[in-house]
Amino acid sequence: MFVVGGESLIDLVAQPLADDGVIRMEAHAGGSPYNCAIALARLGNSTGYLCPISQDNFGDHLLGPLHRAGVTPLMAERVTAPTSLAVVTLNARQQAQYEFYRSADRAFTEDGLIAALPAAPVVFQFGGFCPIEPVDAKAWLAVADAAAARGAMITLDPNVRPSLVADFESYKQRLSGFFDRAHLVKLSDEDLAALDAQKSIEQHVTELLRRPHCELVVVTLGEGGSRAFTKNGEASAEIYMPPVFGDTVGAGDSLMAGILTLLAEQGDLTPGMLGGLDSAALAKVLRFGAVVAGLNCAEKGCHPPTRDEVDAVLAS
């Protein structure tokens, strides 16, 4: 089973200002790890999701897409804390910008998270908000250690958001512990610039590949596509643009799910195999991830594609 840990929340998306001057909001289930879990399941993977879900109506709204995709909520007992919220605005290029109000996604204990882990996870994918708060970071790192002890590959998508962090230098120190545990790290060029704008992508990647376990680094470049690096090769891929474009919400999460899916199918999600991928193998993985991400962008909000939809594009 793939296990994805991290926040779920409701995206309240602002609609264009109406003639009556009223701002109207649409509610969409979201959160980077939540989106990734759904994308993994829709691609045909056995997937468990590790995050508390509120007892409120928004919690019901979050559970619906999980159940429809076939994701197993690993924390069966729902919490009384209200669902976390993200207020989303879209710029002129339909790219999402966020402000967050957190509650239920933090309503956990370290022991409770570890107790909810399956006995033998294949992959533990986490990131998003996990490193932001010191007490949360400690708990999530313990979960990663427990998952690794049970045989899981550790994969990380930190989704760096400086606006959410009161002390960014302390956050970077906590994030370093996450990097030290990960076999695969995915970041955006914006993430890397936030961490250190003076370093090139290549410098960041070289430092990550020197970490104790890191074997593969994927960097997304927005409209510029994506790049992948191991010590044995590197590759790049263009974005896949769907015939009809909605927005980019969940695109990076879908790309990560696509990459993990193909790596698992090829038997490469094991120590040594991952780091041995050459340029041709990396290009194939990136292309698959790009199609998954592009198909997600065919609708407004996060709507990851099925495996049949991805295969149809790859075959065309």
Side-chain angles (χ1 to χ4, degrees):
M1 172 181 277
F2 285 82
V3 176
V4 183
E7 77 277 1
S8 61
L9 45 80
I10 293 294
D11 290 331
L12 294 176
V13 184
Q15 301 304 297
L17 190 65
D19 293 339
D20 59 9
V22 175
I23 297 176
R24 292 176 171 82
M25 312 291 288
E26 287 186 358
H28 301 278
S32 177
Y34 173 91
N35 292 339
C36 187
I38 290 173
L40 282 166
R42 285 182 59 80
L43 290 171
N45 302 290
S46 172
T47 306
Y49 179 53
L50 188 62
C51 178
I53 302 292
S54 175
Q55 296 175 0
D56 64 18
N57 288 341
F58 279 146
D60 296 337
H61 191 49
L62 286 168
L63 282 175
L66 292 174
H67 289 320
R68 288 192 292 274
V71 178
T72 301
L74 296 175
M75 305 188 76
E77 185 174 347
R78 293 170 67 176
V79 298
T80 58
T83 298
S84 300
L85 302 175
V87 177
V88 185
T89 56
L90 301 175
N91 63 20
R93 299 166 71 182
Q94 295 299 293
Q95 294 172 318
Q97 301 173 359
Y98 301 84
E99 292 293 336
F100 298 95
Y101 306 87
R102 301 181 63 191
S103 189
D105 76 288
R106 299 189 62 210
F108 57 74
T109 65
E110 178 181 314
D111 289 344
L113 291 173
I114 293 173
L117 273 177
V122 175
V123 171
F124 177 61
Q125 156 68 22
F126 70 149
F129 294 173
C130 295
I132 289 177
E133 300 293 339
V135 66
D136 296 355
K138 177 179 177 295
W140 284 113
L141 289 175
V143 176
D145 290 340
R150 300 179 191 187
M153 293 284 288
I154 308 301
T155 63
L156 175 68
D157 182 359
N159 215 350
V160 178
R161 297 185 185 277
S163 63
L164 269 178
V165 182
D167 182 346
F168 196 63
E169 288 304 313
S170 294
Y171 165 82
K172 289 197 291 184
Q173 292 175 15
R174 291 191 295 276
L175 185 58
S176 180
F178 285 71
F179 288 142
D180 279 345
R181 286 161 171 82
H183 298 92
L184 186 164
V185 178
K186 171 193 158 296
L187 307 101
S188 69
D189 54 348
E190 293 178 347
D191 292 335
L192 295 178
L195 293 172
D196 190 339
Q198 301 305 310
K199 294 179 181 176
S200 67
I201 289 175
E202 289 78 9
Q203 287 173 313
H204 278 289
V205 168
T206 297
E207 292 181 1
L208 286 168
L209 289 174
R210 289 175 180 160
R211 296 277 179 162
H213 301 291
C214 187
E215 298 185 34
L216 170 60
V217 179
V218 175
V219 180
T220 59
L221 309 169
E223 294 178 352
S226 57
R227 301 176 68 185
F229 305 82
T230 66
K231 292 180 179 179
N232 201 41
E234 65 177 87
S236 61
E238 297 178 348
I239 63 170
Y240 168 73
M241 181 62 71
V244 178
F245 180 77
D247 60 41
T248 62
V249 175
D253 310 318
S254 297
L255 182 140
M256 184 64 161
I259 286 172
L260 291 175
T261 296
L262 196 60
L263 288 172
E265 288 182 4
Q266 295 176 166
D268 293 322
L269 273 180
T270 56
M273 293 294 294
L274 194 62
L277 295 174
D278 62 15
S279 298
L282 292 173
K284 180 181 178 182
V285 169
L286 287 180
R287 171 60 177 166
F288 189 92
V291 171
V292 176
L295 287 172
N296 174 80
C297 295
E299 301 182 55
K300 291 186 179 295
C302 184
H303 296 280
T306 64
R307 182 56 186 270
D308 286 345
E309 290 171 329
V310 176
D311 288 342
V313 171
L314 291 172
S316 64

